[in-house]
Amino acid sequence: MTATLADHRIARIDSHVLRDHYPRTVGRNARLGSHGAGGSVPVAVVHTDTGATGWGIAAGDLQGTQGLVGRRVDDLLDPAVGTIEPQALPLDFALHDLAGQILGLPVHQLLGGRGETVVPCYDGAIYFDDLDPADAPRGLDAVLANCRADHDLGFRAFKLKIGRGHRWMDADAGLRRDIEVTRAVRAAYPEAEILVDANDGYTGESFLGYLDEVADCGLFWVEEPFQETRADLRRLRAELTRRGSGTLIADGEAAPDVPFLLHLSEEGLLDVLLMDVMSYGISRWRRVMPVLEEVGVRASPHAWGQPLKTLYAAQLAAGLGNVLVVEGVPGHTEGVDGSAYQLLDGMLHVPDAPGFGLPLPATTAPSG
Ligand SMILES: [Mg+2]
């Protein structure tokens, strides 16, 4: 196998569906019902005529990628830039893995190696489990038990879902429960970073009411507190400044309008942008990160949903830099050996193995 992408042509593109599993059923958030105990993960496996292989989560519909068979790998991906053939974007992750395998480099090196390979990682799985089961809700203890379980996995920072009053409780009771949960987790974990995420479940006004009651909790960030508007963000920023608070404002997960988010960042209204690692994609992240740095806003690519996305976000953090913290999705994907990645004392260690450092899952072996 030669170490030049130009010497390899795409011979076959296979699609498979893997299953992932969270360590427990994950309940509701401000907008959505139960998140279940895991789900299916479509992946693409790209084989070349020289026997090289790369694989990754399918970042879109793979149907249109069959026309790429026969193309040279360097026609599809420029290691310095990312995926350059628009038709190949659903293979963004598989092609980065493939290029890493061919060149003998970890993806974070392909991306420039501008960050650290030991990255802070928070627990993104603390949902509204106090509200379930609906006929006998477990209450606050359920949330604390989840924090305990995830602390045992190595997490030292927790993101608490808030916004119970948006759909699931009446506004006042929901606000009170959000406050109670935040204060209880702070009391149980005085050293932990606490992030909160309302999935836009508050209004600009009602969120200030929440903030007032948790002002002494030292929140690390507030995520999507309300549907972002310049006016509401200005009031929130003014309030944080008035309190001398170091709490950051994170947004840009749901249906991101990136130019608008960059304007808001330029105006000092956002501190962290959250575009999804998979649907926004690794190549688009490669293009936009220098712009974020110019504007002076940090990144934390959204990873919820699949444990694999956490590993990709960690590679991106180690490769592009400017990532404040990585979102951790506890759990595993069937057939995937992720043991090269280690979560220790709140820090995710990113491997130096070629590509993403994830061997081809046994379950994707061709059946004949
Ligand atoms: Mg979120």
Side-chain angles (χ1 to χ4, degrees), residues 159 161 197 199 223-224 253 302:
K159 186 167 84 182
K161 290 294 190 177
D197 181 2
N199 293 95
E223 173 172 333
E224 297 195 316
E253 171 194 334
H302 176 258

Side-chain angles (χ1 to χ4, degrees), residues 239-318:
E239 186 56 22
L240 290 171
T241 304
R242 186 184 71 77
R243 292 177 183 276
S245 166
T247 300
L248 304 171
I249 308 175
D251 216 311
E253 171 194 334
D257 174 350
V258 174
F260 179 55
L261 295 167
L262 288 169
H263 282 305
L264 293 174
S265 305
E266 263 169 339
E267 292 166 34
L269 298 176
L270 297 178
D271 302 299
V272 187
L273 300 190
L274 304 170
M275 289 80 80
D276 187 82
V277 67
M278 181 186 72
S279 57
Y280 197 67
I282 199 163
S283 294
R284 278 213 282 174
W285 265 114
R286 293 181 73 172
R287 283 201 298 280
V288 83
M289 195 65 92
V291 184
L292 268 63
E293 282 184 274
E294 216 175 282
V295 167
V297 63
R298 307 295 296 276
S300 180
H302 176 258
W304 179 257
Q306 282 88 40
L308 275 176
K309 287 169 64 178
T310 293
L311 311 185
Y312 296 146
Q315 289 275 355
L316 200 148

